[in-house]
Amino acid sequence: MNNHTTVHYFLLLEFSKNRHLQLLHFFVFFVLYLTTVMANLLIILTVALENQLHSPVYWFLMNLAVQDLGTVSVIVPKSMVNSLMDTRYISYSGCAAQVFIFISFVASDLSLLTVMAYDRYVAICHPLHYEMVMNWNACNKMMILVWVTSLLYGTLHTTGTFSTLFCSNVVNQFFCEIPQLLKLSCTGFNIVELGVLMASVTAGLGCFNFIVASYFMIFKAVLRIPSEEGRQKALSTCIPHLVVVSMFLLTGCFAYLRSPSYTPSYLNFGVTVLYSLLPPLFNPIIYSMRNKNIKLGLSKLWKFGKLP
């Protein structure tokens, strides 16, 4: 990569020149990061240790928690260290690694949410065939496909972004965000990144349409359930996933369907926090609040932790 540019490091967004505000930024990010890590670790431990949760839907939920944990861990600690040490530095290779890992985790989130929509579709629309269709062999193959395609996607995006010539090394964001990096390009969009973006839009719309179609069929099936209790029970298994999907898509669209060139730095910062930090923080909370089995597992874990 270094053969294509004279940039050997990048300078990330300086939150403030005031030392007290820098420490405030460190403290706020530390609290957000610690809360996100603890919430997702609780979900992972609960699903791993509770036998009643050893089923496909909770296996997917545990993987979602792992992905959310990875998403925040690749961007937040570096920003906290920079604020604490009063620096803006990130190496060229560190920036490339950050882009690759972050994009891979975000892509895996969308892919997994699509798989989870299919899981809910099979469970509600074809309950008699659920165990046959969503067996462990099929679930493991789905997860392997999710991770492989996400890593490939991250590789393509990273290659497209860093194959360009940079005219500046000042990134107007608290981590190496692709739109901000592309603004530093001397030539604008290159062919590779343009192709990757077109493929991204196509894949994203495909996942979105699949989720919408799945829930259309789910709601049709729910309306045919004769009892009110049965309808509520069926919907209760879908609401957390639907809320998580909505939050992921809405924050992502709000972040990227705007013109970053004409957006003030503080607004860019706020929007990026919205789509990169809030979903990983709220996903485990949403699932633990709405799911009785998760709450039961968490209570057992809490009681176990209190034992002498």
Side-chain angles (χ1 to χ4, degrees):
M1 292 180 184
N2 288 331
N3 294 331
H4 294 83
T5 178
T6 56
V7 171
H8 299 290
Y9 64 92
F10 292 95
L11 297 175
L12 298 176
L13 177 69
E14 185 178 35
F15 182 73
S16 174
K17 295 184 181 297
N18 186 298
R19 186 60 181 153
H20 296 292
L21 291 179
Q22 287 177 343
L23 293 177
L24 176 63
H25 168 251
F26 167 81
F27 177 75
V28 171
F29 265 42
F30 176 76
V31 172
L32 283 173
Y33 180 64
L34 185 62
T35 306
T36 303
V37 169
M38 292 300 297
N40 283 285
L41 279 179
L42 282 174
I43 293 293
I44 294 169
L45 289 173
T46 301
V47 174
L49 298 177
E50 181 57 47
N51 290 330
Q52 290 185 342
L53 301 181
H54 291 176
S55 62
V57 62
Y58 297 110
W59 166 242
F60 293 142
L61 178 58
M62 186 175 72
N63 276 272
L64 181 65
V66 171
Q67 292 166 355
D68 287 339
L69 195 58
T71 300
V72 294
S73 295
V74 75
I75 60 174
V76 176
K78 179 61 179 175
S79 181
M80 290 193 303
V81 169
N82 280 0
S83 292
L84 190 62
M85 304 301 293
D86 191 20
T87 182
R88 302 167 59 191
Y89 174 87
I90 184 171
S91 66
Y92 188 94
S93 59
C95 186
Q98 199 175 63
V99 167
F100 168 70
I101 300 172
F102 179 76
I103 291 297
S104 296
F105 275 123
V106 170
S108 65
D109 260 12
L110 180 58
S111 301
L112 182 55
L113 289 173
T114 306
V115 170
M116 293 172 75
Y118 176 70
D119 174 79
R120 292 299 83 206
Y121 162 76
V122 176
I124 293 175
C125 298
H126 305 283
L128 299 179
H129 299 92
Y130 181 77
E131 291 187 4
M132 181 179 66
V133 176
M134 300 302 295
N135 57 74
W136 281 110
N137 184 44
C139 291
N140 288 330
K141 287 180 179 179
M142 289 179 190
M143 282 310 310
I144 291 172
L145 183 62
V146 165
W147 285 109
V148 169
T149 54
S150 300
L151 291 173
L152 177 61
Y153 179 76
T155 301
L156 291 174
H157 247 316
T158 306
T159 302
T161 302
F162 288 89
S163 63
T164 188
L165 179 67
F166 294 112
C167 289
S168 172
N169 68 341
V170 180
V171 181
N172 191 30
Q173 195 49 266
F174 71 92
F175 70 98
C176 289
E177 188 185 37
I178 287 181
Q180 299 300 329
L181 288 170
L182 293 179
K183 286 169 62 177
L184 308 181
S185 172
C186 300
T187 57
F189 281 111
N190 57 68
I191 296 177
V192 176
E193 182 60 15
L194 186 59
V196 174
L197 286 174
M198 291 178 64
S200 303
V201 171
T202 303
L205 287 175
C207 291
F208 174 76
N209 290 333
F210 185 88
I211 293 172
V212 170
S214 297
Y215 272 99
F216 177 76
M217 299 301 293
I218 287 171
F219 289 137
K220 281 183 62 177
V222 168
L223 291 175
R224 290 197 296 266
I225 298 176
S227 67
E228 181 70 22
E229 183 181 353
R231 287 195 294 269
Q232 290 181 355
K233 184 177 180 181
L235 286 175
S236 67
T237 65
C238 298
I239 289 175
H241 177 257
L242 196 56
V243 172
V244 167
V245 169
S246 301
M247 183 168 59
F248 180 87
L249 294 177
L250 288 174
T251 55
C253 290
F254 185 63
Y256 285 99
L257 295 182
R258 75 190 198 284
S259 176
S261 301
Y262 303 101
T263 307
S265 296
Y266 68 88
L267 187 56
N268 270 328
F269 175 82
V271 169
T272 302
V273 168
L274 185 68
Y275 88 86
S276 61
L277 301 187
L278 291 191
L281 172 62
F282 285 109
N283 286 353
I285 297 174
I286 291 169
Y287 272 104
S288 62
M289 286 177 61
R290 294 291 308 182
N291 193 292
K292 293 181 180 179
N293 291 330
I294 290 290
K295 288 192 285 188
L296 181 62
L298 286 171
S299 65
K300 289 182 179 180
L301 191 66
W302 173 255
K303 291 177 183 177
F304 178 79
K306 291 176 69 177
L307 291 177

